[in-house]
Amino acid sequence: MSLAHRILAGDLRAAARLMRDLDDGFRSAAAEMKLLYPHTGRAFILGITGPPGAGKSTLVDQLIAVYRQRRSRVGVVAIDPTSPFTGGAILGDRIRMNRHAEDPGVFIRSLATRGHMGGLSRSTGDVVNVMDAMGMEVVIIETVGVGQDEIDIVRMAHTTVVISVPGLGDDIQAIKAGVLEIGDLFVVNKADREGADRTARELAAMLEMKQTKPGDWQPKVLLTEASRNRGITEMVEEVETHRRHLIESGALERIREERSVRQFMDLLKERLFAEVFGHIQVNGRFREIVEEMTARRTDPYSAVELILTERFAGHRMSNS
Ligand SMILES: Nc1nc2c(ncn2[C@@H]2O[C@H](COP(=O)(O)OP(=O)(O)OP(=O)(O)O)[C@@H](O)[C@H]2O)c(=O)[nH]1
Ligand SMILES: [Mg+2]
């Protein structure tokens, strides 16, 4: 039986195996993804982002518990910002969410940001799709920080929660830059720490300055203390309110469409590059071009044009 069929039948080990094959870039994995795709599009995708150590994993662990009480199955994709060789944060996530390790209704997967040549958002998308096809009603994506990679990842979420913590004066400024735009809900975690109320007030003030149109979603600012399970139910309620808003306003359909388009674009970029670059590496053209450029007999612009012409003119001929 194919991995896809086993996954659709609820086989968790088959899912883990496919995710490894995806990491290794096996061609067979693409065939499995084709079989799974018709079974995707049902999961609610929740993005959790914020600075290192803000308590994201602790919050996610509490969220899992709430969704499990409500009988939803939960998938988690934790993006590990550190080197795949240290494994530090992966271990941390495992420990943080350990109490759910034996629950067959919970599936946790960590992805490293390095070692994924140009495709972290695509591999995240693949993992989300596998979890979706597995029947996970909720898929949570945890990412750190505000880099472009993270923004791309967070954009595949239906609802995005931005976590901050008190006492990060300059980080609030960083939040201002880009994260203010992507948050559907802002959570100040570590509410037990001094200055939490002030951080929440500052955030709320910044949100009020944003230009809005009637009918636009108004992000709230909530306080939580993840390590003592405080404020979590309120957070889930607000997430659910946003989810209903997405459905009722038709925005959910738009987000889904954007996500398919982005997946298509990412795949196209990756496959075109692999196709063209693989070819010139094997036939020695790449080496020649490097030498020509170094000797200033050609330039990168002309070289790319030449390679594309050679590659695709050849294609048309061989196909006709
Ligand atoms: N005081 C306090 N500590 C908390 C709270 N929530 C989490 N922590 C602690 O903060 C530390 C970091 O928590 P994590 O959940 O690993 O944070 P994270 O944002 O996932 O960290 P990275 O994934 O490494 O970026 C841990 O020691 C938690 O126990 C809170 O509400 N109050
Ligand atoms: Mg974490």
Side-chain angles (χ1 to χ4, degrees), residues 56-57 93 142:
K56 298 177 295 298
S57 298
D93 287 338
E142 177 191 330

Side-chain angles (χ1 to χ4, degrees), residues 53 55-58 78-79 81 89 92-93 96-97 142 144:
K56 298 177 295 298
S57 298
T58 313
I79 314 289
D93 287 338
R96 218 81 74 211
M97 303 175 199
E142 177 191 330
V144 183

Side-chain angles (χ1 to χ4, degrees), residues 25-221:
F26 290 167
R27 271 290 156 96
S28 62
E32 306 287 353
M33 294 309 288
K34 290 180 198 171
L35 292 171
L36 291 182
Y37 198 78
H39 302 274
T40 63
R42 285 176 293 201
F44 171 64
I45 307 171
L46 176 61
I48 306 280
T49 191
K56 298 177 295 298
S57 298
T58 313
L59 267 168
V60 170
D61 177 71
Q62 304 286 15
L63 291 176
I64 296 172
V66 173
Y67 279 113
R68 291 302 291 141
Q69 275 160 18
R70 300 181 180 192
R71 305 239 163 270
S72 289
R73 296 209 289 153
V74 186
V76 178
V77 193
I79 314 289
D80 170 13
T82 62
S83 148
F85 304 109
T86 68
I90 290 185
L91 198 63
D93 287 338
R94 286 273 155 75
I95 293 165
R96 218 81 74 211
M97 303 175 199
N98 203 20
R99 64 176 163 145
H100 303 293
E102 299 300 313
D103 180 351
V106 178
F107 193 100
I108 298 169
R109 171 87 186 167
S110 295
L111 286 180
T113 46
R114 284 184 223 159
H116 277 264
M117 193 190 133
L120 185 69
S121 75
R122 194 177 75 70
S123 37
T124 307
D126 284 339
V127 170
V128 169
N129 280 351
V130 175
M131 290 181 176
D132 189 350
M134 285 164 81
M136 299 297 171
E137 282 94 356
V138 179
V139 175
I140 303 174
I141 308 176
E142 177 191 330
T143 65
V144 183
V146 290
Q148 189 54 49
D149 251 354
E150 288 72 33
I151 303 255
D152 284 348
I153 290 164
V154 156
R155 275 164 68 203
M156 66 179 93
H158 300 149
T159 298
T160 299
V161 183
V162 174
I163 315 294
S164 48
V165 282
L168 287 181
D170 288 343
D171 268 77
I172 292 281
Q173 295 304 317
I175 281 177
K176 217 177 186 173
V179 186
L180 217 51
E181 301 305 319
I182 60 170
D184 301 303
L185 168 61
F186 291 80
V187 166
V188 178
N189 188 44
K190 307 198 181 182
D192 51 310
R193 294 250 179 107
E194 211 181 294
D197 287 319
R198 213 186 103 210
T199 304
R201 271 199 312 276
E202 283 173 2
L203 262 173
M206 277 190 264
L207 287 167
E208 267 170 34
M209 289 191 292
K210 254 177 52 173
Q211 297 276 341
T212 51
K213 297 186 298 295
D216 275 359
W217 172 256
Q218 299 287 346
K220 284 207 177 115
V221 181

